Every structure is written in structure tokens, then in C-alpha cells.
Amino acid sequence: MAEVEVILPHERYKILIEPGVLENLGARVRECAPAEKCALFTDSTVGRHYGALAKKSLQASAYQVEYLEFAGGEQSKSLESVRVFYDALLDAKLERTSPVIALGGGVVGDTAGFAAATYLRGVPLIQCPTSLLAMVDASVGGKVGVNVPQGKNLIGSFHQPKLVLLDPRVLRTLDLRELRCGFAECVKHGILGDSALFEWTESSVDALLALEEPAIIELLSRNTAFKARIVAADEKEKGMRALLNLGHTFGHAIEKTSAYAIPHGEAVSLGIAAAAYVSVESGRAEKEVLTRSLKLLERFGLPVTAALAPGAELFHAMKLDKKIRSGTIRLVLPLGIGRAEIADDIPDPLILEAFESIRS
Ligand code: GLY
């Protein structure tokens, strides 16, 4: 078992990395959120594998469980789903102390998390991520929210979990494409702020793809510890937390214009490739940053080129997203392996060129 702590100015919580921890879910939840009732939210795929196990464990720890499954996929990360969650919580008469347990990937964590942040002005949230991507990124740091037609994650809140439980064994039932998407976020962490992590990842690709337990536990520990450090330094994204958006400004435009046919992790992989291209072309970084990043992404089976929407459409999606947020296109650009900066002065033609550089 490994343990990482997220230490914030007003609260702290643990990330427990423990093979088989889902079987002890009830006991773990009771330690940090004792109550009579709880809500367990999942999607239909995760529910089929682990719903009954999780529910049984919660019941064995004397919780009355309100269990709700919804359809998975980015399209479900919506205000309509949150409305269904509210109804379930209200019908089951959950109280302010009743925990909401989010069992699933990032869509479940973000959507159930947003319901937990707003129901009765906030109830305890336990994140039980089941995808690698959610384990190393979305479940840590308290960002919760949903998409709207205008863009991704435009409605949301910060609501830190009381506990994050990572069971490396659940990755064995994860679809390979989804597993690869998680590795994209790990590569991102190394590039933007931890060269030792990047090098360790380069030397561990085979063990990681084979899901060797010691390697996976180390991956989870290193990446959650990295994220915990950033969140501790900048909980509300007023500064360095924005560096975690490496690959995301390009990536969100790619996801949106593909109508989410390109999943988040693949879009981030493509976005990292585009950002590294801009870094090199604008003289910020040596070419090695681009070549090493592409090589590592490709070794994980991630795309670094793809069939994309027309450049003007991609650019429009990027502008619209950023217009709603801040008015300018801000890109996170690598300066070397383990260093990045935020730039808001990249000329439009270079952004378009970067999109072309990743077009297959
Ligand atoms: N996923 C980026 C962040 O948590 O800030």
C-alpha cells in the first residue's frame, strides 16, 4: 500500500493506493464520513464490474446505499445528469453528512462531484476512480463540473474530496485505449514539471503496459504526489496549477470538433505534440523536447497525428473556449523536459501551423 497526502491551507486528505481496496470501501468511507446513508454513483460499465462489490462493502459498514448508474461517456457529463443525481439524493433524503461516492472514470467523478459540491451546499465526496486518467488527474485536486454545448468544463466548482481510493487492480478490466489515455496525463506531468518522473516513465513503459503491479503502484504514487504538490501550491488555479493544462487548449478544441470521438487522453497527447511544436518553432525549447515527447507518447500507443477538423474550425473552437474563460488564448508551452511556462502571445498563424503539424 502507498499513501499520498494532499495538504491544503484549510483541509487535507489522503490518496490511498491499495490493491483490492474496493473490497474495504465501506470501512474506508466510514473512517472519514460516518453517516447513516450514502450515495454510490457509477456508470453502467463500471457498475457491471464493480457496482455490486462496492455496494456490498458499504452495506457491510452499515450504510443505507442509494445506488445510481448512468450511461458513461463524455456526453453524459451534463447538467441533465446532475439533475438526475439531485433527484436521487433528494428522494433518498440524503443529509449534509451523507457521503457521495463517485466510482468510475473522470466523467463520473466530475459529474457526481459537481452534484456533491452543490447538493445542500456541499456534502462529503469520496473519489474512487477506476480509469488511469482519473486516478492520476481528475480525482485529485477538487475540480468538479460538467460540459455545456459551448465547451468543456465551463460549469463547475472546486470541491475537494475527503478521500481518494485507488485500486490498481481495477485497471485490469480497463479497455486498452482508455488505459493509454491515462498514460498521456502521466507523460504530461513529466514534461511540465518533473524530469525525473519523465525519465522513470521512459524506462518503465514495458512494465507499465504489462500492468505489473509494482510499476503501476509507483506510477500512481509519483503522479498523484506530483499533482498533490501543484494543488497544494495553487488550489484555485491562480498560478502554477494552470501548467497542468499542457496539451489541453489544443486538446479541448480537438475533442470538441471531433464531437468527442477523439477521447480526452488522445486529444491531450495530440495537444502535447502541438504545444511542443509551438515551443520549438518559437525558439523556447530545443527540438529534443518535441522528439522525446513524441517518442514516449508513441511508445504508449498514443496518437501524435490524427485526422482533424479543418484548421479554421479547430481555431474557432479554441477561441470560443478561451473567449468564455479569459479573452486570450493562453498556451502552456514546454521549455525543456520538466519545465513549462504559460504564453499568451503566440501569433494565430503559428497556432494554425501547430494544428497542421499534427494532422495525418
Ligand atoms: N486537470 C487539471 C487540474 O486539475 O487542474
Side-chain angles (χ1 to χ4, degrees):
M1 181 170 109
E3 196 176 299
V4 171
E5 203 164 12
V6 185
I7 302 168
L8 302 167
H10 305 293
E11 57 192 319
R12 54 167 66 196
Y13 56 92
K14 283 182 182 159
I15 303 164
L16 295 183
I17 304 159
E18 188 180 333
V21 74
L22 268 189
E23 283 166 35
N24 299 325
L25 176 65
R28 295 293 190 200
V29 175
R30 191 154 281 288
E31 279 162 17
C32 66
E36 192 186 330
K37 297 176 185 172
C38 71
L40 175 59
F41 288 140
T42 189
D43 67 34
S44 44
T45 310
V46 176
R48 196 168 60 243
H49 288 294
Y50 304 111
L53 175 73
K55 186 173 174 188
K56 201 168 136 212
S57 175
L58 289 161
Q59 286 170 332
S61 289
Y63 283 103
Q64 273 178 50
V65 183
E66 174 63 19
Y67 179 81
L68 191 81
E69 267 183 30
F70 73 132
E74 197 68 36
Q75 307 285 9
S76 297
K77 194 171 140 178
S78 65
L79 286 169
E80 291 70 29
S81 298
V82 174
R83 174 78 227 192
V84 174
F85 284 7
Y86 289 150
D87 284 342
L89 295 168
L90 288 163
D91 290 348
K93 299 194 169 43
L94 261 81
E95 296 168 4
R96 266 211 155 143
T97 52
S98 313
V100 165
I101 297 120
L103 174 70
V107 167
V108 172
D110 285 7
T111 316
F114 185 64
T118 45
Y119 177 71
L120 304 182
R121 296 201 179 84
V123 295
L125 171 66
I126 315 296
Q127 290 281 13
C128 272
T130 57
S131 71
L132 179 59
L133 199 145
M135 288 183 185
V136 295
D137 186 24
S139 64
V140 178
K143 279 190 183 175
V144 292
V146 294
N147 304 330
V148 284
Q150 289 87 337
K152 269 182 68 95
N153 299 328
L154 294 180
I155 306 296
S157 178
F158 287 98
H159 187 60
Q160 298 294 341
K162 290 272 175 249
L163 177 69
V164 183
L165 288 177
L166 309 188
D167 187 343
R169 293 198 183 142
V170 304
L171 297 177
R172 292 178 192 162
T173 51
L174 194 65
D175 174 75
L176 180 60
R177 191 171 181 191
E178 273 199 60
L179 184 70
R180 289 179 166 148
C181 284
F183 290 126
E185 297 286 354
C186 302
V187 174
K188 180 197 83 175
H189 286 162
I191 298 171
L192 77 91
D194 191 337
S195 58
L197 171 59
F198 189 90
E199 279 158 24
W200 175 84
T201 311
E202 283 182 317
S203 67
S204 310
V205 174
D206 295 338
L208 291 168
L209 281 170
L211 289 180
E212 287 175 18
E213 205 159 272
I216 290 291
I217 291 175
E218 184 153 3
L219 181 85
L220 296 176
S221 308
R222 282 179 176 250
N223 281 279
T224 52
F226 176 78
K227 174 121 191 218
R229 279 200 301 278
I230 297 224
V231 171
D234 178 23
E235 184 185 357
K236 298 279 167 70
E237 198 173 306
K238 302 216 185 298
M240 75 183 295
R241 185 167 178 172
L243 293 176
L244 292 171
N245 294 329
L246 172 63
H248 283 60
T249 305
F250 285 105
H252 284 170
I254 293 166
E255 271 183 281
K256 187 158 185 278
T257 52
S258 78
Y260 301 109
I262 298 181
H264 181 68
E266 290 184 16
V268 168
S269 174
L270 292 159
I272 291 171
Y277 178 89
V278 171
S279 279
V280 173
E281 291 302 313
S282 62
R284 283 178 168 77
E286 301 291 331
K287 190 140 195 224
E288 190 214 2
V289 172
L290 180 64
T291 48
R292 261 176 97 186
S293 303
L294 296 191
K295 188 163 172 210
L296 186 52
L297 292 165
E298 284 183 304
R299 284 180 69 203
F300 280 119
L302 286 157
V304 292
T305 61
L308 301 175
E313 233 176 85
L314 287 157
F315 194 66
H316 179 72
M318 198 187 227
K319 275 242 147 152
L320 186 69
D321 193 25
K322 292 298 145 189
K323 199 156 138 209
I324 291 166
R325 286 160 190 249
S326 65
T328 47
I329 292 183
R330 301 178 83 216
L331 294 174
V332 182
L333 299 176
L335 302 172
I337 296 295
R339 280 184 315 129
E341 71 170 13
I342 294 169
D344 58 10
D345 59 349
I346 302 302
D348 295 355
L350 182 52
I351 293 175
L352 279 163
E353 213 182 281
F355 276 123
E356 292 314 308
S357 78
I358 55 167
R359 185 186 297 286
S360 58

